[in-house]
Amino acid sequence: MTAPARTAARALRDLLRPQGRPRYADGVAAGLALVVPLVVGTLSGRPGTGAAIALPAVLLAMPLPAGAGPRGRVRCLAVRTAWTTAAGVYTTLAGHGMPVLALGVAATAFAGSVLPGVGVTAPLAVLLTGITGDGREQTVPGLLQLVGCVWTAALLLPRRYHGGGDDAAPPSPSPPPRAVRVRHGARLALLTGGAVAVTGVSGTLWGQGHWLVTALLLTLRPTPEETRTRFAQRIVGNTAGGVVTALLLLSSPGPYAVAAVVGVSGALAYAFRTANYTYWALASPVLLLLLSDYGEPLPWWAAAVRAGLNALGGCVALLATRWLWPGAGAGAVARP
């Protein structure tokens, strides 16, 4: 094996090395939170409603604070529920057009960067509720999101605690100074708002353009070191996961098969996300691509488009750490 090959193999092993312990109970809860609404919605002839109720599981099931007891989990889930429901209210009342999404994503990206316990939950909630489902199905704005949040939280909360158990994980890094968070928030708001405007030139973000925005939200971090690490993890994971997704789409799965695949991939993604973010990046393309367009047949090349936009967004994030307020870096930030 040549020296470059050995270096690449060593780097790949480092990316895949476990950094914490899986949370199998959270993974099972997330899988159920995703699959049940999809199946019920399909059986009732309203797949869009089922997808809208399942969508909050993507946001609420993100790793909860390491070692958090019942009160900590309730507090964290309550914050995520509030932002996800507010996003549903916003996109229902304000509409799904490009200006609305650009303003909402940019504002919540900044807020999530400076407010404790919010992170990328808020901008992702605005983006995902703005491009999925049909707001006209909601008689009460935000109701479907609230139902989905309550359903997911009900599955995540009934846990037994044994001195940490599967919550054992490295302590979350201390958040960076406020000035760094503010600069990072401004940078993230500018880039994500601009990405929505660029990819939504037709007036909406329906289609695949939103993957550029999610790539920016999930790759750009407060420090250059974190951004480079996250970029490598997402490139490796999303490329491999994209191949699997393309093969699945080639088989033209029906709605129930899609629901089952979403449930299984969601369970794996959330169970192993605490072990290593790369594992999440491997499993999440199947989950996110199939769920965001649930009920609509997708061509196989949609997975390739997603992978390409993920790479583009990651490159933009890397350039931003160098050219856009490069002084915004000291310390690490807790994982979203």
Side-chain angles (χ1 to χ4, degrees), residues 254-271:
Y256 296 109
V258 169
V261 171
V262 166
V264 171
S265 60
L268 293 173
Y270 287 104

Side-chain angles (χ1 to χ4, degrees), residues 23 64-73 161 163-172 335:
R23 298 182 181 179
L64 298 169
R71 289 185 180 179
R73 293 172 72 89
Y161 299 89
D166 63 356
D167 281 331
S172 297
R335 291 170 295 185

Side-chain angles (χ1 to χ4, degrees), residues 60-191:
L60 263 69
M62 292 295 180
L64 298 169
R71 289 185 180 179
R73 293 172 72 89
V74 168
R75 182 165 53 249
C76 183
L77 290 171
V79 170
R80 294 176 183 179
T81 295
W83 282 96
T84 303
T85 303
V89 173
Y90 174 76
T91 55
T92 300
L93 296 179
H96 296 245
M98 180 270 292
V100 169
L101 282 178
L103 177 61
V105 169
T108 50
F110 179 80
S113 298
V114 299
L115 296 176
V118 180
V120 295
T121 297
L124 282 176
V126 172
L127 179 66
L128 295 178
T129 57
I131 64 171
T132 57
D134 187 348
R136 290 173 297 182
E137 294 184 0
Q138 298 201 66
T139 56
V140 179
L143 178 60
L144 295 181
Q145 287 73 35
L146 179 59
V147 170
C149 287
V150 172
W151 159 245
T152 304
L155 292 171
L156 286 170
L157 284 176
R159 295 280 308 281
R160 298 176 63 185
Y161 299 89
H162 304 281
D166 63 356
D167 281 331
S172 297
S174 300
R178 180 172 178 80
V180 174
R181 298 201 305 272
V182 170
R183 287 196 296 268
H184 172 64
R187 180 171 57 184
L188 195 58
L190 177 63
L191 290 177

